[in-house]
Every structure is written in C-alpha cells, then in structure tokens.
Amino acid sequence: MQAGNSVLRISIVTPAYNESKNLPIFFDRLDAVFARLSADWEWLVIDDHSSDDSLRVLSALAEQHSNIRALRFSRNCGSHLAVTCGLREARGECAVVMAADLQDPPETIPNLIDKWRAGAQVVWAVRAAREGENAVTLAFSSFYYWIMRRFVGFEEMPPKGADFFLLDRRVLSAFGEFNETNASITNLILWMGFPQDSITYEKQARVHGQSKWNAEKKLKLVVDSVTAFSYKPIRYMSYAGFVIAILGFLYAIDVVANAFRGHPIEGWTSLMVVVLVLGGFQMLMMGILGEYLWRTLDEARRRPRYLIEARFGKGLHSHWTKDVFMNEPRPI
Ligand code: UDP
Ligand code: MG
C-alpha cells in the first residue's frame, strides 16, 4: 500500500539481545537518515530478554522520543521470534527489519524504499561483502546457503544470504497468518512469494559486543530450515532403506547358498561389518525421523511462541490512526 506523494509511514523493526551500547547509536543514525526523507517513522525494538542494561536504555530512549516502541520478551526466544513479534506489531505501510548491532547500515534504508516505491513488496538487502567475519563463519554461511539453494530448492536465495529486508503492508498482513515456531523468517518470506526485488549493501563489522550465534544455534538453524521446507531427508532415507534391503537380501541368498554347499561364510569380521553398518544407518534414520517428530510435537502443542513481559513507549503518532491499517496486529 504505497502512499503516492503523501507522507510515508515506515516501521523499523529491531530484535535486540544485550545491545545496550549499540541502541542509542542506532537511533541517532536512524534519526539522521529519516531527517532527509519525507517519511514518518516508528522504531519498534524487541528486547529478547537482555541481561545487560538494555531495558533501562530503551525505556529512557522511549521516554525522550515518541516514535520509539519497545517490547521485552519474558525469556530469550531468539532473533527470529523477536522479528516475528516485531512484524506483527508494526503499524507502518512497510516495515524494515534491521539488527541492532549496526552491521546493517541504516543509510541503506532509502535504497530499500526506492525499490518498494517502484513496486516491489519484498526488498532484500543482499550482502555484497562482509567485514569483520572470520573464515569459519564465512565457510558455515556458504555451506548454509548452498544447502538452501541446492538441497531445499530455494534457487532465488542470494548466495551470500540476506537478513535485512523491507516488507510491504500486504506481506506483513500475510505474515500474520503464519504460526510456525521453528521456521527461519528469511526462508518463510522467500517462500511466500509476492513481487520480490533486491539491492546490495556491504555488511559492516559490529560496533559493540559479539555475535550471539554459537555452533549449536547454527546447527539448529540448518535443521530447522531443512525440515520446515523439505521432505527430502525422509525421501532419501526411504531410498537408502530400499537399497540396503535389496543388498541385504542378495547377501542373505549368498550366505544360505554357501551354507547349503557346505561352505558357510566364516565369522566375526563379516558379521560385525553388517551389524555396525546397519546399526549406524538405523540410528541415523531414527535421528532424522526424530527431528521431524519433535517439530511436529512442538507445533502441535500450540504454546504461545513468546510472552511479553513489558511494553513501553508513548504509543503511536497521533495521526497513525487505526483505520489506515488493513490488518490490526492480533493478540499473540
Ligand atoms: N538477537 C536476538 N536474540 C538472540 C540473539 C540475537 O534478538 O538470542 C539479535 C541481536 O541483538 C541482533 C540480531 O539479533 O540485533 C542479530 O544477531 P547477531 O548480530 O548476534 O547475529 P549475526 O549478525 O552474527 O548473524
Ligand atoms: Mg550481527
């Protein structure tokens, strides 16, 4: 829903976990960018239960600036759920999702808006370069995007990924229909369709603090991303089971025939090879089934995905009245 020549209303959605030093700098840079745009904006910060003094910093900022709204989760739920919450709460005609660590420069926002005004309803900021990342992080990232493009089948996914994007109000409304707990947001949005476009930007080094992605979280993201969009692991498991069953059957014929001919196959080595190979395969297959089963159970429980401990901010701009929005954010 573009607003022609009238003033645009833009929401900036930021998940934040222990980013108290970055938040004030982020606000100042956003403020400088919007001072040059004819747009009205709100900054929606989702504090993912930070343990530093983010709460105090945010409430002080929200006290000073009426266009800041902040919500605090009751427990740490991860950045994808923080962004989910922010997108459901956003009231703008479009929303831009940006991390709080200034790796995604606010100065890129006008380029995203230009593409949106040209008709795109999803605009990705695609990384042209990444500063300040080590070789292991870059290798994992290439592996992840390769899996998503080649194995899961998201051909349109940028090879170096994109975690900074703009969504039109229509996409925000559609996104509100989703209730998945474990899916990665970028993958969901790629999957949703709508007219999508991209710009490139240089991912910057973090200003303060460290990345919160450890090896365990990264592994969970890979398994979540594959299980949420692909049944291929189960399909390949069936193929492997079929091939192993045929081979086992042929081997069994050979063993029995040899026994009848009076030359039983000797011993320990062949037995151990069969037991270990089959045992290993079975455990792997049960593990894959378990990953799908656990996620089915997780979704079936229908627990709230996040709980809000506190909300602060002076509320919406007075002229951001309810009737201009196609869809009100629903209760969680
Ligand atoms: N974040 C969050 N919850 C978490 C971990 C991270 O809300 O449990 C936020 C974090 O504060 C940042 C964004 O998600 O604004 C991206 O996180 P990070 O910079 O650690 O990820 P990376 O840039 O390494 O992908
Ligand atoms: Mg970061």
Side-chain angles (χ1 to χ4, degrees):
M1 184 169 43
Q2 275 112 316
N5 291 328
S6 63
V7 174
L8 300 170
R9 289 177 296 270
I10 297 167
S11 301
I12 306 294
V13 170
T14 299
Y17 180 58
N18 293 346
E19 305 279 8
S20 64
K21 288 206 177 112
N22 290 324
L23 290 168
I25 308 174
F26 195 96
F27 179 81
D28 289 344
R29 279 179 57 183
L30 277 179
D31 205 27
V33 167
F34 279 104
R36 295 194 296 272
L37 287 174
S38 67
D40 206 353
W41 62 291
E42 63 167 354
W43 189 32
L44 200 52
V45 188
I46 316 301
D47 173 10
D48 193 8
H49 204 74
S50 300
S51 52
D52 67 355
D53 61 348
S54 293
L55 187 61
R56 188 188 56 73
V57 169
L58 273 174
S59 55
L61 277 172
E63 198 54 43
Q64 286 166 30
H65 306 281
S66 61
N67 58 342
I68 299 183
R69 281 198 289 150
L71 286 89
R72 178 173 165 85
F73 278 180
S74 65
R75 56 193 291 273
N76 181 253
C77 297
S79 61
H80 286 253
L81 285 180
V83 171
T84 301
C85 170
L87 292 177
R88 292 173 79 104
E89 295 278 336
R91 301 283 174 92
E93 290 158 276
C94 71
V96 180
V97 172
M98 306 179 77
D101 55 8
L102 293 154
Q103 287 197 279
D104 313 331
E107 293 71 23
T108 324
I109 293 173
N111 301 346
L112 291 171
I113 292 175
D114 285 347
K115 287 277 183 188
W116 173 57
R117 295 185 92 161
Q121 289 171 27
V122 176
V123 189
W124 298 100
V126 173
R127 303 165 199 169
R130 293 176 70 167
E131 289 175 18
E133 302 283 17
N134 64 35
V136 179
T137 306
L138 292 179
F140 174 83
S141 164
S142 305
F143 168 70
Y144 176 76
Y145 291 111
W146 183 85
I147 292 225
M148 293 314 291
R149 286 157 63 94
R150 299 278 167 252
F151 185 75
V152 177
F154 280 135
E155 294 292 338
E156 57 286 277
M157 177 166 270
K160 288 183 183 155
D163 41 13
F164 159 28
F165 49 87
L166 176 149
L167 303 180
D168 180 77
R169 165 54 51 195
R170 278 167 282 203
V171 184
L172 290 174
S173 301
F175 184 78
E177 303 289 324
F178 288 77
N179 286 308
E180 290 177 54
T181 309
N182 290 308
S184 122
I185 291 204
T186 40
N187 296 337
L188 263 187
I189 293 168
L190 273 174
W191 180 90
M192 283 167 71
F194 292 94
Q196 306 208 1
D197 206 342
S198 63
I199 58 153
T200 50
Y201 83 107
E202 306 224 334
K203 188 155 178 154
Q204 315 281 302
R206 258 182 171 273
V207 173
H208 290 289
Q210 286 179 341
S211 169
K212 280 85 187 182
W213 283 95
N214 55 27
E216 193 188 336
K217 281 188 181 174
K218 286 179 178 173
L219 187 63
K220 180 170 184 306
L221 178 71
V222 175
V223 182
D224 279 347
S225 303
V226 174
T227 53
F229 296 97
S230 177
Y231 59 85
K232 278 188 185 167
I234 299 185
R235 172 60 54 85
Y236 290 160
M237 233 165 57
S238 311
Y239 293 157
F242 185 70
V243 170
I244 291 170
I246 302 258
L247 292 177
F249 186 67
L250 294 176
Y251 189 55
I253 293 176
D254 187 42
V255 170
V256 173
N258 275 325
F260 273 120
R261 277 192 241 116
H263 312 294
I265 293 176
E266 282 177 14
W268 164 255
T269 314
S270 53
L271 198 64
M272 282 314 282
V273 168
V274 172
V275 167
L276 291 177
V277 169
L278 284 190
F281 257 109
Q282 280 175 346
M283 278 193 256
L284 179 69
M285 290 176 167
M286 283 198 309
I288 292 176
L289 275 185
E291 294 288 351
Y292 280 90
L293 193 64
W294 159 251
R295 284 165 179 78
T296 312
L297 181 63
D298 208 25
E299 302 292 353
R301 279 195 205 104
R302 303 178 68 83
R303 260 182 209 154
R305 291 179 289 178
Y306 47 79
L307 300 168
I308 292 172
E309 180 186 307
R311 286 174 184 264
F312 33 98
K314 290 183 178 157
L316 289 172
H317 295 191
S318 55
H319 55 289
W320 289 32
T321 49
K322 283 185 180 174
D323 54 23
V324 299
F325 303 107
M326 281 154 59
N327 245 18
E328 272 299 288
R330 304 174 208 187
I332 301 140

